[in-house]
Amino acid sequence: MKKTISLSLAVILTAAAVAGCSSGEKATNQPSTQPSANVKKEPVKFSIVYPTTVSTGYHTRIPDLNKDKWVLKLGELTNTILDMKVVEDSKYGLMFAGNDIPDVVGSIGGIGSKSMSGSVENGVFMPLDDLLKQYAPNLLKQVPKAAWDTLSYNGKIYGIPEYLSNPSRRSTYIRTDLLEKTGLQPPKTVDEFLNVLRAFKKMGVEQPYQMRETFKYADVILGAYDVLPYKDQFKLVNGQVVPKFFDVENMQKALTTYKTMFDEGLIAKEFATITSTDFTKSVNAGKAGIWSQNASGLPGYRTNITQAVPGSKVDIIPSPKGPDGKSGYFYYSPVIRTFFVNKNVKPDAAAGIIKMFDWMTSAEADTFFSFGLEGDTYTKDSSGKINYKFPVTKEDTEEEGFRSGTLWAVHDSTYNKQRLALNDDGKATLKAFDEVLTKEGLSGIGFYPDLNALTKYPDLAFPSPDVGPKLIIDHMIKMVYGKEPISDWPKVIEEYKAKGGNEIIKEATDRWNKKDGAVFIDIK
């Protein structure tokens, strides 16, 4: 490096001397103060932990991730050297307790996630506003405002997100081949939805609508009446911020619809105990007529169900509308993962880290993470079209997941447009996102960090963002089974208030009024 700099300076000095003499000026022997454009900056070295929820997969088979070809290539492309680990986020408490905190910490979720242990609020990480303005123009332009809002604390941005430009993720699936046999059109309203299910039952379809426990991925009717009992589904009513299930009239209508489905055998009698595994097995075996699931799963469902039932057709349709024209499912938080920078990181290293994250939103990054290395995992024809070797084995699939999932820290996770565009099922998925999901879904108020009161009342807390409080779900199930009258829903609300709900509502309202981590989650 020293030789390169000396040679560059010599060339600059010679050129300056020639230029000076030709213009009649006396050349000087003073060294140039401008650095050579040919001198490459030293790579920025930093430690980073990526979050995971599982202890298996590609990263566990690699003895030293820092020598992995994908990690090394990422460093080459971004002029960085990563000291990388992948850790289950449930174990982050040990990391914070031991004060052994890497330069960059990734978290599933955002500031208020359980794994972060209040570290942002306690000053462990640095605010990033100035760094983003200087080094991340693409990120500032591309990331939705709602995502930045969820990652702000005391008016400052503390995290860089893997984000969703379209928070509408879930969709209504239908076996189109079965629908065609009924002679009916795709249902547009709740009443038409029930009629299609009745036709499916008459045809002998085992699960006209595939339900499951806690109403998870079985909430299409709750969405139609805009009463989803979820984390980011609060709304402002008469000056108070309350859960949407406080809407007695529409909650009773939704529960009455589910009870009709139960009584008529349009959902399984044992729906309250159907697990995620049972749900997936039933759908993939071709036993379901309509079900709810993330739109990104369309290619997989088409493959699996066609194998189980040759000649079957699977499509995504608009969700049935309720009386107020609402339809669809809750909007996801716009943040999937977040990456925080340790406050002790030096300025030059912090700048390099932010530049790396900004690069991840580029077209070059999209191609690298989506397809890998040219000549290895993909080739290009004479027209520049990419021919990608889709993984076949479990090991190859996990390796692809590491590269395009784990390692791609910051990007729009709505869908992988380049890869989906390579085949018909992928194109159908893109069409569903762009033409169906953008026109439905339920906005709401969410809180980042979470409401403190929720930690005091476990039965009123949200076990996950898409599962309602235990107290509420228990009453819903009893009412669908006919063990409690649906007309008692006002009593459920009063019980909720008496058991801690009043405190939750007060805190939610105060934070909304103060604009203290209260975020309106919408598709815009």
Side-chain angles (χ1 to χ4, degrees):
M1 180 63 74
K2 290 179 180 178
K3 290 180 180 179
T4 303
I5 294 173
S6 299
L7 179 59
S8 300
L9 288 173
V11 172
I12 293 170
L13 288 171
T14 302
V18 172
C21 291
S22 65
S23 62
E25 295 179 357
K26 184 178 179 180
T28 70
N29 290 322
Q30 295 297 318
S32 169
T33 59
Q34 298 297 319
S36 169
N38 295 324
V39 178
K40 185 177 181 180
K41 291 185 178 180
E42 288 288 332
V44 174
K45 184 174 182 179
F46 61 93
S47 56
I48 180 170
V49 59
Y50 281 81
T52 182
T53 57
V54 295
S55 58
T56 59
Y58 177 78
H59 67 274
T60 63
R61 301 197 301 270
I62 306 302
D64 185 355
L65 275 177
N66 297 318
K67 295 179 181 179
D68 174 70
K69 69 177 181 179
W70 303 116
V71 177
L72 291 173
K73 187 62 178 180
L74 174 60
E76 178 187 329
L77 291 167
T78 59
N79 198 34
T80 59
I81 298 175
L82 277 65
D83 179 9
M84 175 187 174
K85 292 181 180 179
V86 179
V87 178
E88 291 176 69
D89 69 342
S90 60
K91 298 179 180 178
Y92 276 22
L94 296 174
M95 175 179 69
F96 288 117
N99 201 32
D100 183 19
I101 304 170
D103 297 324
V104 179
V105 174
S107 167
I108 295 173
I111 289 175
S113 64
K114 185 178 180 181
S115 62
M116 292 303 291
S117 304
S119 53
V120 173
E121 298 91 322
N122 289 319
V124 174
F125 300 101
M126 66 172 66
L128 303 174
D129 301 72
D130 293 339
L131 286 166
L132 289 167
K133 289 175 184 176
Q134 188 169 358
Y135 300 112
N138 297 313
L139 271 171
L140 286 176
K141 184 187 303 180
Q142 294 181 28
V143 175
K145 180 180 181 299
W148 292 127
D149 288 346
T150 66
L151 298 177
S152 296
Y153 180 69
N154 286 339
K156 296 287 186 180
I157 295 172
Y158 278 86
I160 299 176
E162 177 185 351
Y163 62 94
L164 295 174
S165 60
N166 178 359
S168 182
R169 308 286 293 163
R170 290 188 181 175
S171 56
T172 301
Y173 284 79
I174 194 167
R175 281 278 302 280
T176 308
D177 58 308
L178 298 178
L179 181 67
E180 290 172 349
K181 291 178 180 178
T182 68
L184 298 172
Q185 295 297 310
K188 295 181 180 180
T189 66
V190 171
D191 286 340
E192 291 178 2
F193 181 80
L194 292 176
N195 285 334
V196 169
L197 297 183
R198 289 170 180 134
F200 283 172
K201 178 177 173 57
K202 189 175 181 179
M203 288 168 50
V205 176
E206 187 171 329
Q207 301 288 345
Y209 179 69
Q210 181 63 63
M211 282 287 288
R212 59 171 286 192
E213 59 187 353
T214 69
F215 294 85
K216 186 173 182 176
Y217 288 107
D219 46 8
V220 64
I221 301 301
L222 296 171
Y225 289 98
D226 197 12
V227 288
L228 293 165
Y230 299 153
K231 178 178 179 292
D232 291 338
Q233 289 288 298
F234 285 73
K235 66 179 181 179
L236 186 64
V237 179
N238 298 326
Q240 286 190 317
V241 175
V242 300
K244 286 189 176 180
F245 56 77
F246 271 40
D247 183 344
V248 173
E249 180 182 358
N250 281 309
M251 193 68 190
Q252 289 176 333
K253 288 179 179 178
L255 290 171
T256 298
T257 303
Y258 278 114
K259 190 170 190 314
T260 297
M261 294 163 67
F262 176 80
D263 291 342
E264 295 185 18
L266 307 179
I267 57 176
K269 296 296 183 185
E270 69 282 5
F271 79 86
T273 59
I274 294 176
T275 64
S276 172
T277 300
D278 294 335
F279 175 96
T280 302
K281 284 182 179 179
S282 176
V283 172
N284 283 336
K287 296 179 180 180
I290 300 179
W291 65 98
S292 304
Q293 189 56 271
N294 286 353
S296 59
L298 179 60
Y301 280 128
R302 284 186 167 182
T303 298
N304 293 331
I305 295 172
T306 300
Q307 288 177 349
V309 185
S312 62
K313 298 178 185 178
V314 177
D315 288 297
I316 289 172
I317 59 173
S319 303
K321 295 182 183 296
D324 296 328
K326 301 290 183 67
S327 64
Y329 307 82
F330 73 104
Y331 288 144
Y332 277 57
S333 165
V335 171
I336 303 298
R337 290 185 297 174
T338 307
F339 291 82
F340 302 91
V341 182
N342 193 313
K343 68 176 181 180
N344 297 320
V345 171
K346 294 180 179 180
D348 286 348
I353 291 166
I354 300 301
K355 287 178 181 178
M356 180 191 76
F357 287 141
D358 192 62
W359 173 83
M360 287 185 177
T361 65
S362 68
E364 181 184 33
D366 195 335
T367 298
F368 167 65
F369 289 113
S370 299
F371 301 118
L373 299 174
E374 186 173 2
D376 178 7
T377 50
Y378 77 91
T379 59
K380 287 184 178 179
D381 62 21
S382 56
S383 66
K385 180 182 177 182
I386 287 178
N387 298 303
Y388 179 54
K389 295 194 301 185
F390 282 93
V392 176
T393 66
K394 178 177 181 288
E395 289 73 20
D396 287 346
T397 300
E398 289 178 345
E399 182 175 353
E400 180 194 67
F402 173 79
R403 184 191 70 243
S404 63
T406 301
L407 200 58
W408 199 358
V410 175
H411 66 292
D412 183 358
S413 279
T414 301
Y415 46 60
N416 190 311
K417 188 170 186 177
Q418 282 204 79
R419 212 153 62 203
L420 286 173
L422 294 179
N423 59 48
D424 290 341
D425 287 346
K427 290 175 183 177
T429 305
L430 292 174
K431 184 177 180 180
F433 270 106
D434 294 341
E435 297 182 10
V436 178
L437 274 69
T438 56
K439 298 176 182 178
E440 64 181 39
L442 291 312
S443 57
I445 298 172
F447 297 92
Y448 299 85
D450 282 341
L451 297 169
N452 291 324
L454 291 174
T455 62
K456 296 172 61 176
Y457 307 105
D459 283 353
L460 306 188
F462 304 97
S464 67
D466 56 353
V467 174
K470 183 178 184 303
L471 183 148
I472 298 301
I473 296 298
D474 284 351
H475 281 293
M476 290 171 61
I477 291 172
K478 289 176 182 177
M479 289 179 179
V480 173
Y481 275 112
K483 295 181 179 180
E484 291 180 1
I486 293 173
S487 59
D488 274 358
W489 193 254
K491 295 180 181 179
V492 175
I493 294 176
E494 291 307 314
E495 181 183 358
Y496 173 89
K497 289 180 179 179
K499 291 185 174 179
N502 282 327
E503 189 173 338
I504 292 170
I505 293 167
K506 183 180 184 306
E507 183 185 354
T509 303
D510 288 346
R511 285 183 57 176
W512 175 256
N513 290 336
K514 295 176 182 177
K515 296 181 171 58
D516 178 14
V519 181
F520 186 68
I521 309 296
D522 200 359
I523 202 165
K524 297 178 182 178

